[in-house]
Amino acid sequence: MTQRCVAILYQALPPPVIDGLRKDAKPGGYSDGGADIAVALRGRGVTVATPVAAPDPAVALDWVFPDTAAGIAAAIAAGADTIWANTVLFAGHPLEQVRAPVGIVGQEPAAMQRFDDKFATNRMLGDAGLPVAGSFLLSGSARPGVVALDGVAGAIAARGMAFPLIVKPVRGRGSQGVTLVVDLPGLVAAAGVLIAAATFGDMLMVEAYLPGEEMTITVLPPDAPRPDGRVAGGQHALRPVLRFDQRGGVAPYNGDVPVSANSVAIAAARMDEPAVVAMVAACEAAAAMVGSRSAIRIDCRADAGGNFHLFDLNMKPNMTGPGRPGRDDQDCLSAIAAQADGWEYADLLLAMLAARWVAG
């Protein structure tokens, strides 16, 4: 691999409101994971540009630049020829101004904005024949394509859905705002609170609850090597990770419970199960449909018959990992998947770096 100088961005820009919807900013703006990435890459001999001359591994902001125009300019002035966009991107983001010879690790900003809409993305995937959880949009008042809260009972019946159901934000982050509801009063109450708070905007999703196993699949882009070293082309999935110990039917937010405490890669023998083979193929097809340029993660859950459905495509998965003080239990789901096939956290990051791309 060509020697690179990498600078990591964190989310400093406030998330925009898009069509009345917003993605709530993560406290710290992913600076914790950004610092994890920087320290791990430096430990493998990659040159990492930092905003301070002698960064302290215990201080996340010593290792990352803000994702503002000034922050990106400072990163390039510090010698970076690669900008790692460990942040939430959107159309008009300053990253769009980065051009050759400076490269990018991350998604195209407009693509992230488009596919961060979970409802529209799932509808697109479903229209293409991929298995997705059924859902509809809900708000305080009716509009084209959106059900009013006082009409939700009829909408459920018309779609042949049944309780329990999931209520969640359209542009959510992790499991924040995601609630399992077992009856109509519970749905109305949960949705009413979220709509009134407007933390995620003025619309929600009502989604079919799938009672079977929950797995999450990390998919790497074509230029990233596989764990066996091959660069075979095409979007390719890492080992699925099984989620367990859900709370109220929902995986807890990783800020409350580290995913290392409730997630494990499936055994190699399970990779030949027809339901797992179909799930992996569907996730790889979904990654190709969204034109993913970096690692994405897709959450899937099995129905009562054991068939998996995609329900959450995440264009910027959490990418935390061990290496800094107090971070030994911070393996992200993608790192857990990578470890199952012999990679360490840093190997996953080097594979992502190999998929660096250049705009314009």
Side-chain angles (χ1 to χ4, degrees), residues 3-16:
Q3 180 63 39
R4 298 292 181 192
C5 179
V6 180
I8 317 295
L9 301 184
Y10 75 96
Q11 184 184 26
L13 291 174

Side-chain angles (χ1 to χ4, degrees), residues 24-32 173 176 253:
D24 195 32
K26 181 180 180 180
Y30 304 97
S31 59
D32 55 349
R173 177 172 56 79
Q176 286 193 313
Y253 173 52

Side-chain angles (χ1 to χ4, degrees), residues 26-50:
K26 181 180 180 180
Y30 304 97
S31 59
D32 55 349
D36 293 341
I37 294 167
V39 170
L41 289 176
R42 183 172 282 188
R44 288 298 185 89
V46 177
T47 302
V48 176
T50 58

Side-chain angles (χ1 to χ4, degrees), residues 3 12 34 41 62 64 111 126 133 141 162 166 210-212 224 227 242 275 281 283 296 306 318 323 328 345 358 360:
Q3 180 63 39
L41 289 176
D62 279 4
V64 292
S141 58
I166 293 288
L210 301 167
L242 178 69
C283 289
I296 66 171
N318 194 28
D328 289 346
Y345 172 58
V358 178

Side-chain angles (χ1 to χ4, degrees), residues 10 17 24 32 38 48 60 77 79 108 118 141 159 170 183 193 195 217 226 234 259 272 274 296-297 306 325 340 347:
Y10 75 96
V17 176
D24 195 32
D32 55 349
V48 176
E108 296 182 45
K118 300 180 189 302
S141 58
R159 290 163 175 78
V170 179
D183 54 27
V193 168
I195 291 170
I217 291 82
R226 301 167 188 254
V259 296
D272 293 327
I296 66 171
R297 205 190 70 242
D347 295 312

Side-chain angles (χ1 to χ4, degrees), residues 8 21 31-32 51 69-70 74 128 136 138 173 178 181 191 200 228 249 287 313 348 354:
I8 317 295
L21 302 170
S31 59
D32 55 349
F136 63 89
L138 181 69
R173 177 172 56 79
V178 181
V181 294
F200 306 100
D228 62 9
L313 188 151
L348 170 63

Side-chain angles (χ1 to χ4, degrees), residues 100-126:
V102 178
I104 296 168
V105 176
Q107 305 293 350
E108 296 182 45
M112 184 177 288
Q113 174 174 314
R114 178 184 176 189
F115 299 117
D116 231 10
D117 183 323
K118 300 180 189 302
F119 179 79
T121 298
N122 283 0
R123 183 171 58 183
M124 179 192 76
L125 299 178

Side-chain angles (χ1 to χ4, degrees), residues 164-166 178-182 209 245-252 301:
L165 295 166
I166 293 288
V178 181
T179 305
L180 176 70
V181 294
V182 299
Y209 173 70
D245 286 349
Q246 288 86 349
R247 295 178 176 177
V250 177
R301 200 153 183 167

